[in-house]
Amino acid sequence: MINRYSLVDDESGLTIGKSSDLIGVTGNLIETVGDEEFHKITLVHFRYNDEFVAYCKEKKISINNIEITILDLEENSIGSYYFVLREPLSYNRFTEFNEV
């Protein structure tokens, strides 16, 4: 599987994981919560990064802002989009890291 995107925690710079595709970055999927509208983005075949999982087993981390990075064929960053999450994500040693 070729990873075309990575998800990076903006604060720590940790790569959370990578995916082969994503849906919704063009703004075509809108989710309404209360009076607010949000872009819904789905990462296809998302896999958590081993270093990120190891970090979370040692320390608790809360993620508020992320970058979705576009990768070239060698998995080097060639650009990114910045996003603020609707709700923070928290990870710790009890989190189950499953593929999405």
Side-chain angles (χ1 to χ4, degrees):
M1 172 175 55
I2 297 173
N3 291 313
R4 295 174 44 200
Y5 302 93
S6 66
L7 191 63
V8 178
D9 173 30
D10 186 57
E11 186 174 321
S12 68
L14 290 171
T15 298
I16 300 165
K18 296 179 180 177
S19 71
S20 62
D21 203 359
L22 59 88
I23 300 167
V25 76
T26 59
N28 58 339
L29 296 173
I30 303 293
E31 184 174 294
T32 303
V33 179
D35 294 338
E36 295 183 276
E37 291 184 341
F38 299 91
H39 292 271
K40 182 175 182 176
I41 297 173
T42 303
L43 296 154
V44 179
H45 300 295
F46 180 79
R47 294 190 61 151
Y48 283 97
N49 183 300
D50 292 337
E51 289 81 19
F52 178 76
V53 173
Y55 181 86
C56 293
K57 299 285 182 192
E58 297 293 321
K59 299 178 182 179
K60 182 179 178 180
I61 187 171
S62 181
I63 298 172
N64 296 304
N65 306 313
I66 59 168
E67 290 182 43
I68 296 178
T69 304
I70 304 163
L71 305 174
D72 66 12
L73 294 175
E74 286 82 36
E75 295 192 7
N76 298 311
S77 172
I78 58 173
S80 64
Y81 293 94
Y82 177 81
F83 290 92
V84 176
L85 299 176
R86 182 172 54 94
E87 295 178 356
L89 296 174
S90 294
Y91 296 93
N92 60 40
R93 64 183 180 178
F94 301 111
T95 303
E96 292 197 29
F97 294 93
N98 301 318
E99 283 185 43
V100 179

